[in-house]
């Protein structure tokens, strides 16, 4: 079967009254009504969020959630995020509020009148606890690109993949919120792509991977942010960022009034953690295009980059069927922020190079997955990507999130001039292997 595509233009609807009124109107759009019906029947619908396109299913249905894993070819231990319409709906997906009802009302911090998370023991001692600030955190960042990991309600066992916790967020996109309203259920939704591929930020990316595998795509144009949400674990003694995103750790720590730990479930080189992952995108290789990605970071000099480009251009000139060189330059390309002429000239010595320049980390994040997919479509065999520059120059930055995604996408990482020879050998082995694939 072909996947149905409905274009949903939110421009006119967004101008009507309050945000809640606009979402209510949008939920009655014929495409949203149909999509909601598909979800209630156990089907799969891809939809836009402010981060990336998600592949949605009824989070309460084990069969529907399992269909996500089949369509994406997703590893079975990789949990998904449950999307809800507001903080009011937390009680439907987490056991936290249920537990808090056993405490006296004065000891249960609340947001909009609903118990969310708290430490009754700390309050009874007359002290304070970072959990008391969680309602303020959600009030500031929901709707938005913040996912929280909290104790799971029993009915969400399928979405939590057997873990005692579940990842939850409120998306900041009118189509996503209208779909939740139209479906009348929490929506389990990882990114709407084949597992391991770059995440989709356009409906065309979804169709490239999943056409015929899912029921419908709601197309509302490119995603505003372009990189996945920050995942924050609130289930332990100390808050921990399991996956970096556009909301940085410092901003979260400032609201919670406590240092926030780095709680990655696995190393970026793809080695498995002995513990099951609590966050999507943390324990498996992700975001990889068909081309081999070479991440250049650390103290790699311009001279070393020139030598690397020379070696690859010479190899590809001899083997044009293996594609061309793609080069993604960031502010780290030179002190002036542009790609040095010497590197540009060396790229031109190879077959049909493609150069993409992104001058800020936010711009880089917005285009990252689109750039990787474009380079694949252009027949690029090797992509050289400069790591983001000095993150200290941008007080609100997506640079750590970009580096996390690139580290997981990279086949080879070069971080010093001494790595150059080994890197060239490794890249050549990858190119030979790629040429032998059917």
């Amino acid at each position: 079967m072909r996947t149905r595509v409905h274009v949903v233009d939110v421009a006119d609807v967004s101008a009507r009254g309050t945000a809640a009124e606009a979402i209510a109107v949008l939920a009655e759009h014929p495409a949203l009504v149909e999509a909601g019906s598909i979800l209630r029947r156990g089907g799969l619908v891809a939809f836009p969020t402010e981060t990336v396109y998600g592949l949605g299913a009824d989070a309460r249905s084990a069969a529907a959630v399992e269909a996500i894993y089949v369509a994406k070819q997703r590893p079975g231990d990789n949990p998904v995020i449950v999307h809800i319409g507001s903080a009011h709906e937390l009680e439907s997906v987490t056991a936290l509020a249920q537990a808090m009802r056993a405490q006296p009302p004065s000891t249960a911090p609340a947001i909009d009148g609903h118990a969310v998370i708290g430490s009754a023991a700390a309050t009874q001692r007359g002290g304070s606890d970072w959990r008391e600030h969680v309602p303020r955190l959600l009030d500031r960042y929901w709707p938005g690109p913040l996912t929280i990991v909290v104790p799971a309600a029993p009915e969400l066992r399928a979405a939590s993949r057997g873990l005692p916790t579940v990842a939850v967020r409120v998306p900041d996109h009118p189509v996503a919120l209208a779909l939740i309203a139209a479906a009348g259920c929490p929506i389990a939704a990882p990114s709407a792509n084949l597992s391991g591929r770059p995440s989709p930020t356009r409906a065309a990316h979804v169709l490239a991977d999943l056409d015929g595998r899912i029921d419908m795509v709601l197309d509302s144009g490119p995603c505003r942010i372009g990189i996945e949400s920050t995942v924050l674990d609130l289930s332990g003694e100390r808050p921990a960022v399991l996956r970096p995103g556009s909301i940085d750790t410092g901003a979260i720590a400032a609201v919670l009034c406590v240092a926030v730990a780095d709680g990655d479930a696995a190393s970026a080189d793809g080695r498995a953690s002995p513990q099951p992952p609590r966050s999507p995108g943390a324990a498996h290789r992700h975001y990889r295009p068909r081309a081999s990605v070479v991440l250049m970071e650390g103290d790699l000099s311009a001279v070393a980059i020139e030598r690397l480009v020379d070696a690859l251009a010479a190899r590809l000139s001899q083997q044009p069927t293996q594609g061309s060189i793609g080069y993604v330059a960031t502010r780290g390309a030179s002190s002036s922020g542009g790609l040095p002429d010497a590197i540009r000239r060396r790229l031109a010595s190879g077959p049909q190079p493609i150069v993409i320049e992104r001058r800020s980390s936010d711009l880089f994040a917005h285009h990252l997955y689109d750039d990787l997919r474009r380079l694949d479509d252009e027949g690029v065999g090797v992509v050289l990507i400069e790591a983001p520059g000095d993150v200290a120059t941008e007080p609100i930055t997506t640079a750590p999130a970009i580096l996390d995604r690139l580290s997981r996408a990279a086949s080879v990482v070069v971080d010093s001039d001494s790595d150059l020879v080994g890197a060239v050998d490794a890249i050549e082995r990858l190119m030979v292997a790629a040429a032998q694939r059917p």
Side-chain angles (χ1 to χ4, degrees):
M1 69 169 184
R2 296 280 298 183
T3 297
R4 298 194 298 284
V5 180
H6 287 289
V7 176
V8 182
D9 186 355
V10 300
D12 293 337
V13 176
S14 298
R16 300 183 188 179
T18 66
E21 291 170 342
I23 290 164
V25 170
L26 195 56
E28 297 177 357
H29 187 290
L32 272 296
V33 172
E34 182 182 357
S37 176
I38 289 171
L39 292 178
R40 288 193 298 275
R41 296 196 307 268
L44 302 180
V45 176
F47 61 96
T49 76
E50 78 280 19
T51 57
V52 300
Y53 273 74
L55 179 57
D58 183 346
R60 304 165 303 181
S61 167
V65 172
E66 189 60 32
I68 291 176
Y69 285 79
V70 173
K72 283 177 56 72
Q73 300 175 358
R74 183 179 178 89
D77 65 343
N78 195 3
V80 297
I81 294 173
V82 174
H83 295 68
I84 59 177
S86 72
H88 290 282
E89 298 174 22
L90 266 175
E91 288 195 37
S92 68
V93 297
T94 176
L96 273 172
Q98 299 167 16
M100 290 307 299
R101 281 198 291 269
Q103 302 293 340
S106 62
T107 68
I111 183 168
D112 294 333
H114 290 264
V116 178
I117 185 171
S119 173
T123 305
Q124 290 167 352
R125 289 195 305 267
S128 62
D129 190 280
W130 60 266
R131 295 171 180 83
E132 297 174 4
H133 302 290
V134 169
R136 188 157 57 98
L137 182 77
L138 302 186
D139 191 42
R140 177 171 300 184
Y141 291 116
W142 275 8
L146 176 67
T147 295
I148 60 171
V149 175
V150 291
E155 55 267 32
L156 292 185
R157 194 171 292 108
S160 65
R161 308 311 284 177
L163 293 170
T165 56
V166 64
V168 187
R169 87 178 184 100
V170 179
D172 187 16
H173 194 290
V175 172
L177 293 171
L179 179 61
I180 295 167
C185 64
I187 297 177
S191 56
N193 58 302
L194 286 175
S195 185
R197 292 275 291 148
S199 297
T201 57
R202 300 174 182 270
H205 300 163
V206 178
L207 291 171
D209 282 6
L210 300 178
D211 190 12
R213 292 174 168 266
I214 63 177
D215 297 289
M216 180 186 289
V217 178
L218 296 173
D219 180 358
S220 193
C223 298
R224 174 169 52 87
I225 295 175
I227 202 163
E228 297 86 354
S229 61
T230 302
V231 178
L232 178 67
D233 186 6
L234 298 178
S235 67
E237 290 299 313
R238 180 180 173 188
V241 169
L242 304 183
R243 181 180 71 186
S246 58
I247 300 174
D248 68 15
T249 302
I252 294 170
V255 176
L256 295 181
C257 301
V258 69
V260 176
D262 177 5
D264 285 347
S267 63
D269 64 7
R271 289 176 295 178
S273 166
Q275 301 299 323
R278 291 167 292 159
S279 167
H284 299 274
R285 286 202 180 277
H286 281 283
Y287 322 118
R288 285 193 165 184
R290 289 183 293 274
S292 298
V293 174
V294 180
L295 177 60
M296 301 179 295
E297 60 178 9
D299 297 325
L300 195 64
S301 67
V303 172
I305 295 174
E306 292 169 19
R307 291 170 57 197
L308 179 59
V309 171
D310 280 342
L312 293 177
R315 170 60 187 261
L316 290 170
S317 294
Q318 296 168 2
Q319 302 287 338
T321 59
Q322 294 184 5
S324 58
I325 300 176
Y327 196 103
V328 182
T330 71
R331 297 187 314 157
S334 72
S335 59
S336 61
L339 184 64
D341 289 340
I343 295 177
R344 198 180 296 275
R345 285 194 301 271
R346 283 166 166 79
L347 285 167
S349 67
Q352 299 180 324
I354 298 175
V355 177
I356 299 172
E357 295 190 63
R358 302 298 182 199
R359 300 298 180 86
S360 75
S361 62
D362 287 344
L363 187 63
F364 193 3
H366 178 70
H367 290 282
L368 174 60
Y369 299 133
D370 194 37
D371 286 344
L372 292 177
R373 286 179 175 267
R374 172 195 161 192
L375 292 168
D376 262 353
D377 292 342
E378 295 285 348
V380 166
V382 179
V383 182
L384 303 178
I385 303 181
E386 296 172 349
D390 182 6
V391 301
T393 62
E394 293 182 89
I396 300 177
T397 178
T398 51
I402 294 170
L403 190 57
D404 171 80
R405 306 315 191 268
L406 290 178
S407 297
R408 299 181 191 281
S411 302
V412 177
V413 178
V414 188
D415 59 10
S416 69
D417 290 13
S418 60
D419 288 345
L420 192 61
V421 174
V424 171
D425 289 343
I427 296 166
E428 290 195 348
R429 287 195 296 271
L430 289 170
M431 294 167 65
V432 169
Q436 294 174 345
R437 287 198 295 264

